[in-house]
Amino acid sequence: MEIPYTATARPDTGLFNAKLGVWMFLASEVMLFGALFSTYVLLRVGAPSWPHGYEILNIPLATLNTVILISSSVTMVMSWASLMMKEFKKYKMYMGLTILLALGFLIVKGFEYGAKFSHGLYPSESTFLAIYFTLTGLHGLHVIGGIIVNTYFWGPGSKMWHTDPQRFTNRVEVAGLYWHFVDLVWIFLFPVMYLL
Amino acid sequence: MDLTHADNVKKSVKAYIMVFVALMALTIVTVAISTLHLSVRAAIVVALFIATIKAGLVASYFMHLISERKLIYAALALTAIFFLVLMVLPVLHYLEPIGN
């Protein structure tokens, strides 16, 4: 059975199916992260004292990661724009950059986690560290998920460009929606965990 | 702007670069303000205000919400309502503290 409306828009929604599907998925993701942010608020207002993130966490490394992730969002949208302009080589370059930046984010995060562990700072150490590792860990898993999908679209999945370019462009667009959402979550995580 | 045409996409590339510059600038501002060590309340308001602007830029331009179909807006409006409920839940704790 052929999946309908992968390349053209469905007349009643005005959207190709994957786009609506990914937006529904992102709505559920808002609730997932929202529940954890809500938990953070409850834990914080209920705690007798709460440390400043900057006393425990590494702000320069987190700022670097913010720059990396925002840059990767730009390269991601540029990879889609390149396909729209029928420039496949540029697409490969921008998508490749997106993947490299995402890997860079994970490496920096790995250094951060490593430094915490080497000082005996585990999630069990305090409520602050527990919610820090939960939120950044879940976000990190999302980054890994994005790398897997984007690597597929950069490598074997990109063959579709030669057989069904519109469908492939749509696939990259919705992968981008997910990737920008991962960036969005970090935009809030960074000040909430590190700066307040 | 209808982003199904290559010409319009070409124009929007300029916007992406400008948004990128704005996001970088706002990141610097956020970090700079945090070094002032404002009171917790003021720091939260300022940090979340800037983060919301950044999120708005990403959603509007990179996720193309500035020109999207009505169905997406409707779904997101519903999501926003439920998200707000989630955020307000911890506040209810003050109205009826556990154990009372």
Side-chain angles (χ1 to χ4, degrees):
Chain A
M1 192 189 91
E2 199 173 311
I3 303 169
Y5 304 111
T6 52
T8 53
R10 202 177 125 136
D12 53 354
T13 62
L15 300 155
F16 60 92
N17 279 352
K19 194 186 229 181
L20 183 59
V22 164
W23 271 114
M24 293 292 117
F25 168 64
L26 292 183
S28 77
E29 290 274 89
V30 168
M31 298 311 282
L32 172 66
F33 280 99
L36 285 168
F37 273 109
S38 178
T39 305
Y40 166 87
V41 174
L42 185 65
L43 289 172
R44 183 164 182 165
V45 297
S49 67
W50 194 263
H52 288 289
Y54 52 76
E55 292 164 357
I56 299 169
L57 306 173
N58 190 326
I59 294 190
L61 279 186
T63 308
L64 172 64
N65 254 353
T66 307
V67 171
I68 289 175
L69 213 53
I70 289 173
S71 304
S72 80
S73 243
V74 179
T75 55
M76 185 82 206
V77 79
M78 287 302 294
S79 72
W80 167 78
S82 301
L83 287 180
M84 289 297 289
M85 294 183 276
K86 315 253 181 279
E87 297 188 63
F88 186 66
K89 275 189 182 164
K90 273 193 179 173
Y91 157 75
K92 288 280 258 190
M93 181 192 75
Y94 281 121
M95 189 54 116
L97 272 174
T98 307
I99 297 162
L100 288 177
L101 287 164
L103 287 170
F105 177 90
L106 286 182
I107 290 168
V108 173
K109 204 88 208 102
F111 275 116
E112 266 193 272
Y113 275 15
K116 294 286 157 289
F117 295 152
S118 68
H119 288 97
L121 296 173
Y122 295 99
S124 56
E125 181 69 18
S126 68
T127 312
F128 173 81
L129 283 169
I131 194 79
Y132 162 77
F133 280 111
T134 305
L135 271 166
T136 56
L138 183 68
H139 178 264
L141 285 176
H142 279 76
V143 173
I144 293 170
I147 289 173
I148 293 169
V149 172
N150 287 345
T151 304
Y152 174 71
F153 288 145
W154 180 80
S158 68
K159 282 180 196 155
M160 187 186 267
W161 171 254
H162 306 291
T163 54
D164 196 347
Q166 187 55 52
R167 185 177 179 187
F168 181 65
T169 307
N170 289 349
R171 282 185 161 191
V172 171
E173 183 179 1
V174 295
L177 287 177
Y178 170 81
W179 190 250
H180 302 312
F181 175 78
V182 172
D183 185 23
L184 262 180
V185 172
W186 183 258
I187 283 173
F188 283 100
L189 262 184
F190 173 55
V192 166
M193 291 309 325
Y194 289 82
L195 304 179
L196 296 176
Chain B
M1 193 189 290
D2 182 8
L3 288 176
T4 53
H5 295 289
D7 288 347
N8 289 338
V9 172
K10 221 171 236 177
K11 281 180 204 158
S12 60
V13 166
K14 274 185 193 162
Y16 298 150
I17 306 297
M18 283 168 73
V19 169
F20 173 65
V21 173
L23 289 172
M24 287 298 162
L26 287 168
T27 302
I28 293 167
V29 170
T30 311
V31 177
I33 288 176
S34 77
T35 61
L36 300 176
H37 299 312
L38 301 172
S39 70
V40 173
R41 190 166 292 184
I44 288 173
V45 170
V46 173
L48 288 187
F49 178 68
I50 297 174
T52 306
I53 294 175
K54 287 169 78 178
L57 285 172
V58 171
S60 303
Y61 291 94
F62 295 167
M63 299 172 96
H64 309 135
L65 277 186
I66 211 158
S67 56
E68 198 42 276
R69 301 282 168 188
K70 273 183 190 155
L71 187 61
I72 303 278
Y73 292 141
L76 287 181
L78 206 58
T79 310
I81 292 168
F82 280 106
F83 179 77
L84 279 177
V85 170
L86 265 183
M87 290 298 124
V88 170
L89 274 178
V91 180
L92 297 179
H93 157 85
Y94 284 107
L95 299 178
E96 195 179 346
I98 297 163
N100 283 12

